[in-house]
Amino acid sequence: QVQLVESGGGLVQPGGSLRLSCAASGFTLDNYNIGWFRQAPGKGREGVSCVRRSAGSTYYADSVKGRFTISRDNAKNTVYLQMNSLKPEDTAVYYCAAGVTQAMCVASLLVDYWGQGTQVTVSS
């Protein structure tokens, strides 16, 4: 059974940091493009960051470049999202996603598997 389980969300003050984890089971992560999407209240789901399976290249949305870092530990079948210098506008539910199509990094419709989501709230 394919499963993605996120952890690491929570409440943090502006300027703080969080690290999200996504543990995969039922399939091997390095055979898939793996990414993080987020959805704020009243907004659509947007691609935040992705690591592509072919060359391991990464993608970041302009809004998080220089602040977020995605990484993958194939031995643990886990992907991470290190989030630094957090802003109130980063508040959202963050979802881990996996897919075979490279374009899934920016297109939620192309995602094959989703995690259940973890809440990130940035507030003073």
Side-chain angles (χ1 to χ4, degrees):
Q1 181 180 359
V2 172
Q3 198 171 15
L4 295 170
V5 179
E6 302 101 330
S7 61
L11 173 64
V12 63
Q13 292 186 340
S17 299
L18 283 175
R19 188 176 81 153
L20 305 182
S21 299
C22 173
S25 59
F27 69 104
T28 302
L29 269 184
D30 60 357
N31 291 332
Y32 287 79
N33 304 289
I34 303 296
W36 291 91
F37 286 73
R38 67 185 180 187
Q39 188 165 18
K43 295 188 177 181
R45 197 168 291 191
E46 64 166 341
V48 173
S49 183
C50 193
V51 53
R52 300 179 181 94
R53 63 174 177 169
S54 56
S57 59
T58 56
Y59 159 82
Y60 295 96
D62 287 343
S63 57
V64 306
K65 279 182 182 175
R67 300 188 297 122
F68 290 12
T69 303
I70 191 170
S71 61
R72 183 172 61 195
D73 186 332
N74 291 335
K76 294 183 178 180
N77 220 30
T78 299
V79 64
Y80 304 97
L81 186 67
Q82 178 66 42
M83 305 186 294
N84 299 328
S85 302
L86 283 161
K87 305 175 181 179
E89 50 264 44
D90 294 318
T91 295
V93 177
Y94 283 71
Y95 297 90
C96 182
V100 296
T101 304
Q102 187 166 313
M104 60 75 65
C105 292
V106 295
S108 60
L109 290 177
L110 297 177
V111 171
D112 295 312
Y113 304 112
W114 290 101
Q116 83 285 355
T118 185
Q119 177 70 46
V120 172
T121 303
V122 185
S123 175
S124 55

